[in-house]
């Protein structure tokens, strides 16, 4: 494989060419931002050329293409990852050095694209990386949001939301493709036509026309052999019907209203976890990226295979839907095949159900997507007719036998009770339904989608999530990556199972020392970042205990901060009690409408304010909240972590992926038997993690029992009882007030997430785990066991399973 740059000189020449052409300045006059943009543009140009070439070669072949539909792709910075994948990190470093530029200064300029919320979007990004690494023709299809979620600042302990104008300086990785735009229609009416012979058809008339314009981002796979593409759609007005009369009246807002109405569709990314359900704009986003994505696939299919029979479509195209956001794929593909391509219903339905597959991401009932039928029908009248017809076919063919068939029919119907149920639509239109960790798939089969499972067990399968070892080990943790490569070569970058070979060094003192030195280096790097961001100075001799993820009640950041409050209380009550020195590090955003989550952030910062400034304890414990959690700072946090807090209520976290990233970086999991924690503990060995708390069956049993949280609180006044009281007694209220709403939520809902029920088990597990830290060798061995067994959680493995079992590529 030839490299895109063979020598530092060749790189430098090409770089200077792009720099002057794109920026219009010479090197000395450029800011670091401009230097970054030019470098990103240069790499993107190379990748685009490669894509164009392979695309026309692939057009002549019958290689199947996979389209991954996801409303989110949490890409993070791309440059460092692409230099690694192209194998040109050294050449570029040297080339830049010769011009007096440090690569790290250039890399630091790249921000985080605002294209995702958290785990689901990051999974989609890891899958793009792995599809390209595995040589699969796998293309992302998503939305190009003008504004990301928000940038998080902390003021007075509170989350403050600042507009995430991530495109303000442009995005050097993207290329606009006007020629591939798609017109998407909303509203209007469906008109029935009939000819003399009685043949009838429908057309759509009127309504609002929106132009979906694609922006393509190249996805460069490991070793640069495969370049794929992520296609992001932006909404624009279909015609420039500027209202000149309004303009002449001076009513500029009215004059340009057509523009703002259309552009609103791709204006903002919706938060994933509270409050924003049922917004019509969200439904428009979902349809726009489905309709534009499918139109683009069909154009591509016809271009690649001009003579192909439609029946071959499922052999040549796989359409994967990430969660229910793209659930309309089934109905829209039916519309395209029947209305536009003239296929009959049964043929089209066969094609649809052979092409589409679906991943479920959550069993939280409040997250199951539903839309009111009247809203839906008004906005998407023709697609609704297809959904109605799919539902009718489903109900007609439903086996009306066996006890309780009426209940099963009611549970699985798409249209019921005035609502369109998107999960049922997704299952019915798909040939495959998967969960994202074994326990999650088991719960889907047993509970959430049980009636579907009973009828079509062959559709259901598990695909435990994974993460990219390139990004989350090689890019994020260069010192550890170097150490590993010295011992076992760099084959682990392509086949992460090779990490297993590190087990041979479990008794190699020099290697374990080096492992510890790498961890320390990463802790120092993170401590510098945290000091710069927050002013909190962490002791790198303390244990770095980390919980970084979106804020949600079921993830139980509240349980974690109660633990810190309890340690504080114990130290004050008994001056002889000395916990292990620990730095408690938190990060994560809360959806802006999610009061409980935002108050938990304020509580953490309020505890930090008290603990960090109390000389009686602050040599032992400190609390830091890292603002604006994103892929870029996640890459600093994971490598510095020693304790990975994965403490969701059992049965609630579908998989988790930060648990995998932290395992791969040598952290020990302090966790419940939930999501992929179970598989992590099985693979690394129970003795190398610290598992606590209720298991899923115990959680279910407790929910059915006469559990009364007040009894637990009253029976343990010193510990959990004290923490609950301190929510409202002023102990942590100095910064910005008490926490009445957390208190009310917790006690009035009888400890819904079992924070109180799991508290004793959790704090004891933490004490035992931190006590074991003093045997440094043993701890390092456990860290090594985690690293060595983390290869299974490479997203390359996950993608190979999707390719084999679902996409058949
Ligand atoms: C991995 C990742 C997540 C997902 O974290 P979980 O703990 O699995 O919920 C969220 N945000 C970012 C930036 C990530 O990198």
């Amino acid at each position: 494989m030839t490299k895109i740059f063979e020598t530092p000189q060749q790189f430098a020449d090409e770089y200077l060419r792009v720099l002057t052409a794109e920026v219009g300045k010479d090197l000395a006059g450029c800011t670091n931002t401009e230097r970054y943009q030019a470098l990103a543009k240069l790499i993107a140009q190379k990748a685009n050329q490669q894509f164009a070439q392979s695309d026309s070669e692939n057009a002549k072949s019958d290689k199947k293409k996979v389209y991954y539909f996801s409303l989110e792709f949490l890409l993070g910075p791309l440059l460092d990852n692409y230099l690694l994948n192209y194998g040109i990190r050294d050449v570029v470093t040297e080339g830049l050095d010769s011009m007096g530029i440090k690569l790290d200064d250039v890399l630091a300029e790249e921000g985080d694209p605002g294209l995702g919320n958290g785990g689901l979007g990051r999974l989609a990004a890891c899958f793009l990386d792995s599809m390209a690494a595995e040589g699969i023709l796998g293309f992302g299809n998503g939305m190009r949001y003008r504004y990301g979620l928000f940038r998080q600042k902390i003021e007075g302990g509170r989350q403050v939301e600042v507009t995430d104008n991530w495109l303000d300086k442009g995005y050097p990785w993207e290329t606009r493709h006007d020629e591939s735009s798609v017109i998407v229609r909303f509203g209007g009416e469906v008109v029935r036509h009939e000819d003399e012979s009685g043949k009838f058809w429908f057309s759509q008339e009127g309504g609002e026309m929106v132009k979906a314009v694609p922006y393509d981002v190249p996805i460069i796979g490991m070793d640069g052999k495969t370049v794929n593409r992520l296609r992001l759609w932006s909404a624009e007005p279909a015609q420039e019907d500027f209202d000149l009369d309004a303009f002449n009246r001076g009513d500029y807002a009215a004059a340009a209203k057509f523009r703002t109405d259309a552009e609103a569709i791709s204006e903002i990314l919706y938060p994933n976890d509270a409050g924003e359900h049922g917004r019509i704009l969200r439904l428009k986003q979902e349809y726009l990226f489905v309709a534009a994505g499918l139109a683009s696939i069909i154009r591509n299919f016809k271009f690649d295979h001009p003579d192909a029979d439609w029946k071959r479509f499922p052999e040549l195209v796989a359409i994967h839907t990430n969660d229910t956001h793209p659930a309309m794929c089934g109905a829209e593909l039916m519309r395209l095949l029947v209305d536009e391509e003239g296929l009959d219903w049964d043929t089209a339905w066969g094609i649809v159900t052979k092409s589409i597959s679906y991943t479920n991401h959550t069993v939280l009932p409040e997250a199951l997507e539903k839309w009111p039928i009247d809203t839906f029908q008004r906005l998407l009248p023709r697609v609704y007719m297809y959904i109605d017809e799919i539902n009718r076919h489903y109900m007609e063919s439903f086996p009306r036998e066996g006890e309780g068939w009426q209940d099963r029919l009611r549970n699985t119907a798409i249209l019921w009770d005035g609502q369109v149920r998107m999960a049922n639509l997704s299952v019915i239109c798909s040939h495959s339904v998967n969960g994202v960790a074994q326990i999650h798939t088991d719960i889907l089969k047993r509970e959430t989608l049980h009636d579907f499972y009973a009828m079509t067990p062959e559709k259901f399968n598990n695909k435990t999530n994974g993460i990219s070892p390139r990004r989350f080990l090689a890019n994020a943790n260069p010192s550890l990556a170097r150490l590993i490569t010295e011992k076992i070569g760099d084959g682990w970058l392509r086949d992460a199972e090779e990490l297993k070979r590190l087990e041979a060094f479990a008794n190699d003192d020099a290697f374990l020392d080096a492992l510890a030195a790498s961890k320390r280096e990463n802790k120092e790097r993170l401590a510098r970042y945290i000091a710069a961001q927050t002013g909190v100075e962490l002791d790198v001799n303390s244990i770095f205990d980390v919980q970084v993820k979106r804020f949600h009640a079921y993830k139980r950041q509240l349980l974690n901060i109660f633990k810190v409050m309890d340690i504080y209380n114990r130290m004050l009550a008994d001056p002889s009690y000395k916990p292990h020195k620990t730095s408690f590090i938190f990060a994560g955003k809360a959806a802006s409408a999610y009061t409980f989550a935002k108050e938990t952030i304020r509580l953490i910062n309020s505890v930090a304010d008290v603990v960090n400034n109390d000389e009686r304890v602050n040599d032992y414990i400190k609390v830091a909240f890292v603002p604006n959690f994103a892929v870029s700072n996640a890459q600093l946090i994971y490598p510095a972590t020693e304790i990975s807090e994965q403490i969701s209520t059992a049965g609630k976290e579908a998989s988790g992926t930060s648990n995998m990233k932290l395992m791969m970086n040598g952290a020990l999991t302090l966790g419940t038997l939930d999501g992929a924690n179970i598989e992590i503990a099985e693979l690394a060995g129970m003795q190398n993690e610290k598992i606590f708390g209720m298991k899923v069956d115990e959680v279910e049993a407790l929910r059915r029992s006469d559990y009364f949280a007040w009894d637990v609180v009253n029976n343990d006044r010193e510990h959990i009882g004290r923490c609950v009281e301190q929510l409202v007694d002023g102990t942590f209220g100095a910064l910005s007030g008490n926490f009445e709403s957390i208190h009310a939520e917790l006690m009035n809902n009888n400890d819904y997430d079992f924070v109180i029920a799991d508290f004793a088990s959790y704090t004891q597990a933490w004490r035992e785990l931190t006590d074991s830290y003093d045997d440094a060798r043993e701890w390092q061995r456990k860290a090594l066991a985690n690293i060595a067994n983390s290869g299974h959680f490479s997203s390359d493995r996950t993608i190979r399973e999707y390719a084999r079992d679902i996409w058949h590529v």
Side-chain angles (χ1 to χ4, degrees), residues 74 118-119 122 472 548-549 555 629-631 634 638 646 653 656-658 661:
L74 195 62
R122 184 54 236 175
F472 289 106
V548 292
K549 50 186 75 238
K555 291 180 183 272
F629 186 53
V631 177
Y638 299 135
Q646 306 297 340
E653 187 75 89
T657 48
S658 77
K661 300 169 199 167

